[in-house]
Amino acid sequence: MPDPVPDPVPDTTRLVEALREHTAGFARAAAGGEPDAMVPTCPEWRLATLVGHLGQADRWAAEIVRTGAPQPIPSPREADPGPPGEWEGWLRAGAEELIAAVGEADPGARMWSIVGPAPATFWLRRMFCETAIHHYDAALTTGAAYGIADDLAADVLTEGLEMMARTAAVETFVPELARLRGAGERLGVRPQGMDGWLVTRLPEGIRWERGRSDGDVVVSGSMTEIMLVFARRVPPGDVSGKRALLDHWLANTAF
């Protein structure tokens, strides 16, 4: 069976706004902490490592967009974000480098990505989603406030489902995702005030649809809470049905 048709992606303007917003929020949250503070949701990472990873990843993605070719995956521990007083400027510069690279790319061009050939906007979206989750990590570490718009939190979840359903992701990026294949088990996602998701585990991979949330197990809550549950940042709260199915999903999406 071919890969599923993805949900509509937020337009480029919205993605640019989102990346800038959450880069700034991440920077503000990180500024309130000690560089050596341990990040509870990223085991064995210190705050300075988290900052280095994010700024480094933006620059790595920008180089992929510029060249269209894969680049060696950098080690977060080798990134140098500079002293804390320079973190905000360094982080913003990395995000702007990626935004500029995407803006200059041929809209019709396809380039390397972790899930197969993709347009430049793939990397803009990927880094927004990465930044949104790490913004939470930084806020948790330092005690800063965290918030995200419902439409953006929904796209973080959808982007994750899209990547996990792609054949290339299972074959070359995270082979462990093959464990999510099943025999028709259904996972419902029911956010407050929004359309839900229905994820079905099939022998050939996962498939999903929007607008339904009936499943063998159903996760309910605010859109932000649900995003964080599926990012394995907070434990599930409101769960009905076969909890073991949800536990299995979360255990095999830690990548």
Side-chain angles (χ1 to χ4, degrees), residues 164 174 176-177 230-233 248-255:
M164 288 186 280
V174 188
E176 294 82 2
L177 290 174
F230 281 86
R232 299 162 310 282
R233 262 49 183 189
H248 180 271
W249 177 279
L250 296 175
N252 288 285
T253 52
F255 55 87

Side-chain angles (χ1 to χ4, degrees), residues 216-217 235-250:
D216 301 303
V217 61
D238 187 352
V239 180
S240 59
K242 298 179 180 179
R243 174 64 182 261
L245 290 176
L246 176 62
D247 292 341
H248 180 271
W249 177 279
L250 296 175

Side-chain angles (χ1 to χ4, degrees), residues 22-238:
H22 283 276
T23 298
F26 176 95
R28 288 192 299 270
E34 294 295 327
D36 287 338
M38 301 304 297
V39 180
T41 41
C42 296
E44 300 182 6
W45 278 23
R46 300 183 186 276
L47 184 59
T49 307
L50 183 67
V51 173
H53 161 67
L54 194 61
Q56 180 189 61
D58 279 334
R59 291 164 170 84
W60 175 70
E63 185 64 13
I64 291 171
V65 171
R66 284 191 292 263
T67 64
Q71 302 297 315
I73 298 176
S75 168
R77 301 185 189 282
E78 295 177 1
D80 181 13
E86 297 177 4
W87 285 356
E88 180 174 2
W90 186 75
L91 288 163
R92 287 178 182 270
E96 293 300 327
E97 184 176 330
L98 174 57
I99 290 167
V102 172
E104 294 165 4
D106 178 352
R110 308 282 287 182
M111 59 196 58
W112 180 86
S113 86
I114 54 180
V115 294
T121 50
F122 169 91
W123 285 107
L124 186 61
R125 187 187 190 200
R126 174 83 289 277
M127 286 312 305
F128 149 64
C129 293
E130 184 87 353
T131 302
I133 296 300
H134 286 321
H135 178 186
Y136 175 80
D137 296 329
L140 180 66
T141 303
T142 65
Y146 177 80
I148 182 171
D150 282 349
D151 67 313
L152 295 178
D155 194 58
V156 172
L157 177 57
T158 297
E159 191 242 13
L161 292 174
E162 287 179 8
M163 289 202 298
M164 288 186 280
R166 292 287 294 270
T167 302
V170 179
E171 293 179 348
T172 64
F173 181 49
V174 188
E176 294 82 2
L177 290 174
R179 298 171 188 160
L180 297 180
R181 294 169 179 163
E185 299 91 344
R186 299 176 306 151
L187 190 161
V189 181
R190 189 174 294 163
Q192 298 165 357
M194 296 184 70
D195 285 343
W197 290 255
L198 179 64
V199 183
T200 305
R201 295 170 52 185
L202 299 173
E204 62 270 26
I206 69 164
R207 298 294 182 262
W208 78 93
E209 58 184 290
R210 291 298 302 271
R212 293 180 59 190
S213 58
D214 53 315
D216 301 303
V217 61
V218 176
V219 184
S220 303
S222 70
M223 191 60 246
T224 297
E225 178 186 3
I226 287 172
M227 179 196 78
L228 294 173
V229 166
F230 281 86
R232 299 162 310 282
R233 262 49 183 189
V234 301
D238 187 352

